[in-house]
Amino acid sequence: MNSEGYQLKLPLNIDCIIPEDDSVRLLSQFVEAMDLTDLYSTYERIRGNQATPRQLLKIMLYAYMNCIYSSRKIETSCKRDINFMYLLEGLPAPDYSTIARFRSLHFAPCSENILSKMSEFLYETGEISGKNIFIDGTKIEANANRYSFVWKKSVSKNLAKRLEKAALFVESCEEHYGLHLVWNNQVTFETLKKLRKKLYLIKEQENVEFVHGIGKRKSILQKDIESLEEHIEKIKEYNEKINKCGERNSFSKTDESATFMRMKEDHMMNGQLKPGYNIQHGVDSEYIVWLTVENKPTDTATLIPFLKSLEEHLSFKYKNIVADAGYESEENYLFIDKNEQLSFIKPSNYEISKTRKYKTDISRIENMDYDAKRDVYICSQGRELLLKNTLKRKSRTGYVSEKSIYACNDCSNCPNKHNCIKGNNCKTPFEERNKTLETSKLFNRYRQEDFERIISEEGCRLRMNRSIQAEGSFADIKEDMGFRRYLCRGTQNVKAESILLAIARNINKLHRKIQNDKLGTHLFELKESA
């Protein structure tokens, strides 16, 4: 009734209200310049008078730039925020289901191509160097129940117990029904299926009717068949869970792609494991040029898949690979060397090797003298450790390394024997034990070469920039953008959401660099000490 007293005062052209240096204008220009053929190919037809895929991409990115992740909140913003109206260009606001479908059904299949095109554009314009890439990982909680865990070790134990019970059950059925199914005293899943077929055949021949309900007595055959069906279903269930785990130790029932990991956000202060994903970022000139989503909690096994994916999607190749101590392994060193790249990976013992306790520990191989000509190690008492054997060790990833075993022939009457020989779990009496060492010559050579690189002036500069840029990208996403938990489920959808975050963060970073006149800066300089 009072609406007649209001007069329209806003200008009809929303473009006049938005400042010239607003980030929404940069976003719009950036997306307009992109080739979105892959995104449009995911649509069978595009209806008229509705937001186009290009406009939906603009809306999603601008929402993530402003810490809006829920599809319902994005829909509300499209109806109320003039910047979202500017991106829609006068078209009606899409509903939340359209936005959610766009993220999971249309953007997810081509998300990697869109991120690679953005990185290619930044490289062509000189915003990223294409020489140094800083790699680091973080764990983000999955959209899954924290108590919906399935542990592979526990399931394997239950499977073994169930197979023992099934073997006893098959043995009793063979005696009762006069059957012979077991071969070489091994009861397999096929044995149970054969037994089920035999029991149902006996049911048909004897015309046994199964009964159910209170007050009805079941026959022995019905009880046996029901017990057999229970064994078969349980064994199937356990095998399916073990197959879903694969190489992992656990998975979540809510999101089967998520693995239980130890997070830094421990609200119960008891080291609780939560379902999550291990996100790997490759940062260059403060921009996230590439990322991968892994369900492995450790970073060591994620470096090679990350570098292969990076080289597959980008036209340029990085020369220097800068990473933290969590990525050090012989397999990673060898891969980087064969790929004609240089590793700047901090050794895992870099920090502890600076301590006095480490330097004075005579039991460590690093504190022993090595005679390369004779291939022997010399301990603090001048006794020689000779090469005794060479073994092959296979890692979880399938990499086979060669380990050299060195041992001293006689450690009797050594005054430092208690400080040199560690460990109390050996069955051999301490008086009869001699010092032994296990080491990899190839790993030692790569570690020494890498150590000389990281302590150089260039290495110190790159390690400092890794701390600022790679870890800074996670600080921006977790703290500034407030993203702590995924909204989608499944590896593909989680990767799409991570790429939306990365592109939105890159556009925000580009906008700030333009405002602060810092375009074209790639590395931070070391500060000279007083």
Side-chain angles (χ1 to χ4, degrees), residues 76-120:
T76 303
S77 299
C78 290
K79 295 177 180 179
R80 298 179 180 178
D81 196 319
I82 60 171
N83 286 6
F84 283 90
M85 297 177 187
Y86 168 77
L87 296 175
L88 283 171
E89 300 176 7
L91 293 175
D95 61 349
Y96 70 92
S97 58
T98 302
I99 296 170
R101 284 196 300 267
F102 172 81
R103 179 166 50 193
S104 59
L105 299 180
H106 302 289
F107 179 78
C110 58
S111 57
E112 290 182 331
N113 294 334
I114 293 176
L115 179 60
S116 64
K117 289 174 182 177
M118 182 179 196
S119 300
E120 294 282 356

Side-chain angles (χ1 to χ4, degrees), residues 240-339:
E240 287 177 0
K241 289 181 178 179
I242 292 174
N243 291 333
K244 288 177 182 177
C245 281
E247 298 179 355
R248 300 178 292 165
N249 295 325
S250 63
F251 73 90
S252 171
K253 295 178 184 177
T254 314
D255 183 1
E256 296 178 355
S257 300
T259 307
F260 278 80
M261 309 175 184
R262 182 163 281 107
M263 307 283 183
K264 291 181 179 178
E265 300 86 2
D266 188 6
H267 66 287
M268 296 182 68
M269 303 298 291
N270 61 352
Q272 180 189 19
L273 300 179
K274 300 178 186 176
Y277 292 90
N278 191 358
I279 314 301
Q280 301 292 313
H281 276 187
V283 183
D284 180 9
S285 306
E286 300 182 76
Y287 297 100
I288 302 172
V289 296
W290 197 247
L291 64 84
T292 56
V293 176
E294 301 287 346
N295 50 22
K296 304 170 186 175
T298 56
D299 292 334
T300 309
T302 62
L303 182 62
I304 294 177
F306 179 88
L307 294 177
K308 288 181 178 179
S309 178
L310 177 70
E311 191 171 351
E312 179 184 352
H313 289 86
L314 299 184
S315 61
F316 54 95
K317 185 176 181 180
Y318 282 95
K319 180 65 177 176
N320 299 327
I321 309 299
V322 189
D324 201 4
Y327 296 88
E328 188 193 30
S329 70
E330 181 181 327
E331 183 181 6
N332 292 341
Y333 279 139
L334 184 62
F335 178 84
I336 293 174
D337 186 30
K338 288 185 176 180
N339 207 26

Side-chain angles (χ1 to χ4, degrees), residues 445-462:
R445 178 171 64 84
Y446 278 129
R447 171 180 271 190
Q448 184 61 31
E449 294 174 357
D450 181 77
F451 177 76
E452 293 174 357
R453 281 194 294 268
I454 67 169
I455 62 175
S456 64
E457 184 177 354
E458 181 189 11
C460 293
R461 187 185 181 196
L462 292 178

Side-chain angles (χ1 to χ4, degrees), residues 389-434:
N389 195 8
T390 302
L391 303 177
K392 300 288 186 180
R393 301 286 190 192
K394 189 174 182 180
S395 65
R396 289 185 177 182
T397 59
Y399 175 76
V400 179
S401 60
E402 186 177 282
K403 301 289 185 179
S404 300
I405 310 298
Y406 293 86
C408 181
N409 291 329
D410 185 18
C411 287
S412 59
N413 301 323
C414 179
N416 294 327
K417 187 173 181 179
H418 285 277
N419 297 327
C420 186
I421 299 179
K422 304 291 180 68
N424 299 321
N425 296 327
C426 184
K427 296 182 180 179
T428 306
F430 185 79
E431 293 76 12
E432 301 177 8
R433 291 169 61 184
N434 294 321

Side-chain angles (χ1 to χ4, degrees), residues 506-520:
N506 286 348
I507 295 175
N508 278 334
K509 177 65 67 176
L510 179 61
H511 181 256
R512 284 194 292 270
K513 281 192 171 185
I514 293 173
Q515 298 298 315
N516 298 328
D517 195 20
K518 291 186 177 180
L519 291 175

